Amino acid sequence: WSGIRPLVKDIHGNDTKAISREHIVEVNPGKMVTIAGGKWTTARQMAEDAVDKLLEVKPELKSRSGPCVTEGMKLIGADRAGIVCEQKFDIITITLREDYGYDRDIAER
């Protein structure tokens, strides 16, 4: 598993210390919303910020959206002990074994 994280350089900075680990949301003159920077651990917040900015730029879309629900959403598989997901991670194990042919010891990791 890997990913590329584009960092955002401060146009006023002169060295690498000016490269931000935070994300930014910008809107160009054509009202295109762009998000850059950030961290894998803040991907959910980044998505929320991008959608919030889009709704600010294009208010006519608000009637087709609702409040953000992902902040409190439980993700199946995020917690292998089952504390958060109430043991529902077994669905992933079964899917890996039955649909993808993984051995039990691999699927349960």
Side-chain angles (χ1 to χ4, degrees):
W1 145 258
S2 66
I4 298 173
R5 178 172 53 126
L7 300 177
V8 180
K9 183 177 180 185
D10 183 347
I11 60 172
H12 304 292
N14 296 323
D15 57 22
T16 57
K17 290 179 185 175
I19 296 176
S20 175
R21 290 342 187 232
E22 300 302 316
H23 66 274
I24 61 164
V25 180
E26 291 187 341
V27 180
N28 75 8
K31 296 188 177 182
M32 182 174 83
V33 176
T34 302
I35 187 163
K39 306 172 209 170
W40 287 112
T41 57
T42 61
R44 192 216 58 83
Q45 183 64 55
M46 292 169 60
E48 182 179 347
D49 291 349
V51 170
D52 287 349
K53 182 58 74 173
L54 174 67
L55 294 175
E56 181 182 314
V57 171
K58 302 287 272 178
E60 63 272 19
L61 296 176
K62 286 184 182 180
S63 65
R64 297 172 47 190
S65 70
C68 180
V69 297
T70 59
E71 185 173 11
M73 188 176 290
K74 296 176 181 181
L75 299 177
I76 294 174
D79 151 64
R80 299 299 287 178
I83 297 165
V84 174
C85 298
E86 296 141 7
Q87 301 296 323
K88 291 180 185 169
F89 65 84
D90 289 338
I91 295 168
I92 294 172
T93 301
I94 292 166
T95 301
L96 289 173
R97 292 182 69 202
E98 293 180 359
D99 294 352
Y100 296 98
Y102 280 79
D103 290 331
R104 182 179 181 160
D105 62 326
I106 300 293
E108 289 179 346
R109 287 188 194 170

